[in-house]
Amino acid sequence: MATDYYAVLGVPRDASQDQIKKAFRRLARELHPDVNPDPKTQERFKEINAAYEVLSDPQKKQVYDLGGDPNAGPGGGGAGGFGAGFGNFSDIMDAFFGTASQRGPRSRTRRGQDAMIRLDVELSEAAFGTTKDIQVDTAVVCTTCSGEGAAPGTSAQTCDMCRGRGEVSQVTRSFLGQVMTSRPCPQCQGFGTVVPTPCPECAGDGRIRSRRTLTVKIPAGVDNGTRIQLAGEGEVGPGGGPAGDLYVEIHELPHPVFQRRGDDMHCTVTIPMTAAALGTKVPLETLDGLEEVDIRPGTQSGQSIPLHQRGVTHLRGGGRGDLIVHVEVTTPTKLDPEQEELLRRLSKLRGEERPTGEFKPGQQGLFSRLKDAFNGR
């Protein structure tokens, strides 16, 4: 009595090719000799192998369903060899790794690569945002062949080696018996077609290099290393495929006055010791215009004065950082006789050290004369 191949694989007679393949993979993982060396299991493995050889082949399956011998005649051959039923080595690989090999010709049209350029911006541009024009050298669709890769008036032709399949097969012997393996066609590189007369402009690639000008909007609050994505502005793919993305990486140029730390800015103002003792107002050119920094009497060197909301705009969310003004008090290194005398008198008037900013009677006027003396008045 003929073997019921459908029962061997555990599928109904109206099972689809996908159901047959799934059943074979499941049983092959359970019964393969490398997994289960029991002799009875090996016989069972040969049975499912033979069943799959017939049911996975449309012509053999048709003969079998009509009651004929699917292994008779040209191209037949029984399942006598161990593992002879693997019509294609990818089937056994699929059974163990669960991934199907790519079948059929590859497309000549593929997505292009992403590109990246670096853009220098000033601190004020990073703080408030701006718009800039940039020049980009990328691959674009060849206008001569419109991305086809063939010279005008010609077209791609079916590969005569693989006949358009994109792969060639060969039968080899292994411990599993006869195994058919497939590899990309060496003549068409797996595309299934060849271009006998490539486009003279792009040499068959379907794309050429070109310089373009793009307008980039720089949002307020960007920092060093911030990347702005421009979708579809990267390299056009081979065969005129869709373009990748363009990434613009921000590089903030150093500022002569301000140093940025996050969204806060820092700067240093230098004042003489008389101004620190008496207090003063120092003009400072900020990103928002001219401002006066209030130096209170008794300010010490190293103190910081914050100017709120004068820093960099927050990239995400409202508001801005602060401008931190660091005060540096200078001590004169050379004194003329009058300045030296005034300082000696001040030292005698102060006596013991008192808290900064407190003066004995008469010291305030002496400080004013000191200030005039140091300022040359």
Side-chain angles (χ1 to χ4, degrees):
M1 186 175 68
T3 304
D4 186 349
Y5 289 145
Y6 291 99
V8 170
L9 295 181
V11 296
R13 298 191 69 85
D14 59 352
S16 65
Q17 284 295 320
D18 187 56
Q19 290 176 308
I20 292 173
K21 179 174 285 190
K22 287 182 178 179
F24 169 73
R25 290 177 181 174
R26 176 178 53 79
L27 292 171
R29 284 194 293 266
E30 296 176 1
L31 304 174
H32 193 277
D34 290 345
V35 178
N36 195 334
D38 182 43
K40 293 183 179 180
T41 301
Q42 294 183 22
E43 291 299 322
R44 173 78 171 127
F45 182 73
K46 291 180 181 180
E47 290 180 4
I48 66 165
N49 191 21
Y52 182 70
E53 179 188 17
V54 172
L55 298 183
S56 64
D57 186 319
Q59 294 181 346
K60 290 184 178 181
K61 182 175 182 296
Q62 184 179 18
V63 173
Y64 175 75
D65 289 341
L66 293 175
D69 183 0
N71 294 316
F82 184 78
F86 290 105
N88 191 305
F89 187 66
S90 62
D91 294 329
I92 189 64
M93 298 300 291
D94 293 348
F96 285 98
F97 299 104
T99 56
S101 302
Q102 181 179 350
R103 302 291 178 85
R106 295 190 296 133
S107 174
R108 290 185 178 274
T109 302
R110 301 193 301 278
R111 182 183 183 275
Q113 293 183 340
D114 295 335
M116 186 177 71
I117 64 170
R118 193 175 80 162
L119 179 62
D120 294 337
V121 298
E122 302 286 347
L123 175 59
S124 59
E125 295 173 328
F128 302 123
T130 187
T131 300
K132 281 183 170 288
D133 290 336
I134 59 174
Q135 289 189 330
V136 185
D137 290 319
T138 56
V140 297
V141 175
C142 176
T143 55
T144 301
C145 66
S146 300
E148 296 295 328
T154 66
S155 61
Q157 298 180 1
T158 302
C159 176
D160 56 9
M161 177 175 286
C162 67
R163 299 187 180 184
R165 295 192 305 272
E167 60 183 17
V168 293
S169 303
Q170 64 180 17
V171 178
T172 58
R173 287 187 172 276
S174 70
F175 72 96
L176 294 175
Q178 290 186 343
V179 177
M180 180 180 292
T181 59
S182 299
R183 60 187 177 89
C185 174
Q187 179 167 296
C188 67
Q189 309 302 316
F191 293 117
T193 59
V194 293
V195 181
T197 310
C199 171
E201 184 69 21
C202 65
D205 191 45
R207 53 183 182 168
I208 56 175
R209 305 296 299 184
S210 177
R211 174 169 293 185
R212 299 176 293 146
T213 299
L214 301 175
T215 300
V216 183
K217 183 178 180 182
I218 309 298
V222 294
D223 201 352
N224 268 323
T226 300
R227 291 185 179 180
I228 302 171
Q229 181 182 11
L230 302 180
E233 297 293 352
E235 300 275 348
V236 166
D245 298 334
L246 174 65
Y247 291 89
V248 180
E249 185 175 88
I250 299 299
H251 176 249
E252 186 180 291
L253 298 173
H255 193 274
V257 176
F258 304 114
Q259 297 84 44
R260 179 175 175 180
R261 301 175 192 171
D263 289 341
D264 292 334
M265 297 191 310
H266 297 254
C267 71
T268 300
V269 295
T270 303
I271 59 174
M273 67 176 189
T274 51
L278 297 174
T280 187
K281 291 186 181 295
V282 177
L284 178 64
E285 189 67 40
T286 70
L287 297 182
D288 298 273
L290 188 63
E291 303 240 0
E292 286 192 338
V293 182
D294 186 15
I295 307 295
R296 296 184 179 181
T299 297
Q300 301 296 303
S301 187
Q303 282 188 226
S304 299
I305 302 172
L307 299 182
H308 300 293
Q309 296 292 311
R310 292 295 184 271
V312 177
T313 304
H314 298 314
L315 182 59
R316 296 176 179 82
R320 297 170 58 182
D322 298 331
L323 172 57
I324 312 299
V325 180
H326 301 273
V327 179
E328 183 180 86
V329 180
T330 60
T331 303
T333 56
K334 293 183 179 180
L335 300 175
D336 59 31
E338 181 184 2
Q339 292 171 343
E340 185 175 348
E341 177 60 26
L342 288 171
L343 285 177
R344 291 186 184 279
R345 290 177 58 189
L346 176 62
S347 178
K348 290 181 180 179
L349 287 171
R350 286 182 61 83
E352 295 182 355
E353 287 294 327
R354 291 175 175 267
T356 302
E358 295 185 7
F359 300 96
K360 292 181 178 181
Q363 287 183 345
Q364 184 70 40
L366 182 55
F367 260 113
S368 297
R369 293 198 299 276
L370 276 170
K371 183 177 181 182
D372 291 342
F374 285 121
N375 291 333
R377 289 184 285 180

